[in-house]
Amino acid sequence: MDGSARSACRFPGGPTASIWRLLAAEPGELSFAGLVGGSADPRNEWVIREVPADIVVEATFTNLTDGEPALSHVRWALRASP
């Protein structure tokens, strides 16, 4: 799960508790980096390639000249092991 261009989080043991914690937080109070397994480092490629997900939603801003970073995100997702 990618929270923004600058954070990523995976959910050991399942996402439910962490998602409810994020939803209950005040704006700016909590970030993915504050969650177990969270990081403030952009790890988009790692998340897309390594996290066992059935669905990847690509919604980043895209450079209309070269299609990046969206094009790379879609390529990584298509090459990821099921």
Side-chain angles (χ1 to χ4, degrees):
M1 175 177 190
D2 183 38
S4 72
R6 302 219 181 269
S7 64
C9 184
R10 64 184 201 132
F11 302 107
T16 305
S18 295
I19 289 173
W20 284 112
R21 184 169 176 224
L22 281 173
L23 292 173
E26 294 294 323
E29 175 186 352
L30 189 61
S31 69
F32 284 124
L35 299 174
V36 174
S39 172
D41 299 327
R43 300 187 305 181
N44 296 332
E45 182 176 3
W46 178 86
V47 170
I48 292 168
R49 288 181 183 236
E50 302 298 329
V51 172
D54 294 328
I55 298 172
V56 174
V57 176
E58 207 306 308
T60 58
F61 290 102
T62 302
N63 178 322
L64 297 179
T65 304
D66 61 10
E68 294 299 337
L71 188 57
S72 289
H73 294 170
V74 172
R75 285 182 177 147
W76 298 331
L78 292 172
R79 292 180 185 142
S81 299

